[in-house]
Amino acid sequence: DADVTQTPRNRITKTGKRIMLECSQTKGHDRMYWYRQDPGLGLRLIYYSFDVKDINKGEISDGYSVSRQAQAKFSLSLESAIPNQTALYFCATSTTRGLAVLGGTDTQYFGPGTRLTVL
Amino acid sequence: GNSVTQMEGPVTLSEEAFLTINCTYTATGYPSLFWYVQYPGEGLQLLLKATKADDKGSNKGFEATYRKETTSFHLEKGSVQVSDSAVYFCALSVYNTDKLIFGTGTRLQVFP
């Protein structure tokens, strides 16, 4: 079974609709992330959460909101979808446990992605 | 600021050819550097990483050396296979955080 799962895997919706993308993980990691991938732009961070009560905006949070329902679940919502939100969305996890004293990020583990099309 | 620049693709090679994908970075502090790979229809997987200057990360025949003097982390493989066809992303960690900054990705196509 996959450690990081995303639902749905594909979604087509219309402008103005509310959409929720869900991410679940069985890795026991405390940190979770949402990215979007666009051709030629790489991955850009939308929101990240270091713990259930710690949620932070990333590089491109406008038009999105998130909810960390439990340590294992992190949902991304588009309150009113627009066509330029058409993209591939990835959830990722990481853990602070076992980090070296000097810090630096730990490896992030990605889900399989959700392809969202907004018409 | 922090940023990653990698060569544009696609890179097209014949099987058993030598591969180099260039990656340079700008960063404050002491970032860790990563190469992630994305196979068709899948999410990103960590390929290799290096956490300090002169470290060499290696995995599956790929390797990259953290060069602080040239701010580079070029990916190399001596003999590519068709199964290596994928998109490769260079990334750095923002110092003392878990945030990753990604390059735009380089598509590699290997033909038999």
Side-chain angles (χ1 to χ4, degrees), chain A residues 47-49 51-57 66-68 74:
Chain A
Y47 269 95
Y48 60 104
S49 172
D51 203 342
V52 174
K53 296 182 179 179
D54 183 2
I55 293 178
N56 306 278
K57 292 182 177 180
V66 290
S67 173
R68 186 86 183 263
F74 192 36

Side-chain angles (χ1 to χ4, degrees), chain A residues 18-118:
Chain A
R18 184 178 187 274
I19 296 296
M20 179 180 286
L21 309 183
E22 299 189 356
C23 177
S24 294
Q25 53 112 348
T26 58
K27 300 185 77 66
H29 286 177
D30 48 338
R31 300 186 169 193
M32 298 186 73
Y33 310 79
W34 275 105
Y35 293 89
R36 66 176 279 175
Q37 182 182 16
D38 298 277
L41 294 178
L43 275 76
R44 293 179 292 167
L45 183 63
I46 305 172
Y47 269 95
Y48 60 104
S49 172
F50 284 174
D51 203 342
V52 174
K53 296 182 179 179
D54 183 2
I55 293 178
N56 306 278
K57 292 182 177 180
E59 184 185 349
I60 52 162
S61 58
D62 287 349
Y64 301 94
S65 62
V66 290
S67 173
R68 186 86 183 263
Q69 302 95 322
Q71 187 181 59
K73 296 185 183 296
F74 192 36
S75 300
L76 176 72
S77 293
L78 289 67
E79 296 301 326
S80 180
I82 56 177
N84 77 359
Q85 291 177 313
T86 293
L88 191 53
Y89 290 84
F90 288 102
C91 175
T93 73
S94 70
T95 182
T96 55
R97 303 181 190 101
L99 274 181
V101 172
L102 292 177
T105 196
D106 202 356
T107 301
Q108 290 189 16
Y109 297 85
F110 284 79
T114 294
R115 185 168 295 282
L116 177 66
T117 303
V118 182

Side-chain angles (χ1 to χ4, degrees), chain A residues 9 31 33 35 37 40-43 45 48 50 88 90 94-96 99 102-108 110-112, chain B residues 30 32 34 36 38 41-46 49 87 89 93-105:
Chain A
R9 292 294 311 278
R31 300 186 169 193
Y33 310 79
Y35 293 89
Q37 182 182 16
L41 294 178
L43 275 76
L45 183 63
Y48 60 104
F50 284 174
L88 191 53
F90 288 102
S94 70
T95 182
T96 55
L99 274 181
L102 292 177
T105 196
D106 202 356
T107 301
Q108 290 189 16
F110 284 79
Chain B
Y30 306 96
S32 294
F34 303 79
Y36 278 84
Q38 183 181 29
E42 298 183 12
L44 279 70
Q45 305 172 23
L46 179 70
K49 69 177 182 181
V87 180
F89 291 91
S93 64
V94 178
Y95 181 63
N96 249 357
T97 76
D98 265 6
K99 293 170 65 175
L100 290 178
I101 305 294
F102 286 87
T104 54

Side-chain angles (χ1 to χ4, degrees), chain B residues 1-19:
Chain B
N2 300 287
S3 66
V4 174
T5 302
Q6 59 182 108
M7 62 190 290
E8 288 190 24
V11 173
T12 303
L13 296 173
S14 297
E15 208 165 24
E16 299 184 4
F18 184 85
L19 169 72

Side-chain angles (χ1 to χ4, degrees), chain B residues 37-54:
Chain B
V37 58
Q38 183 181 29
Y39 297 104
E42 298 183 12
L44 279 70
Q45 305 172 23
L46 179 70
L47 180 59
L48 54 84
K49 69 177 182 181
T51 57
K52 61 183 187 296
D54 299 326

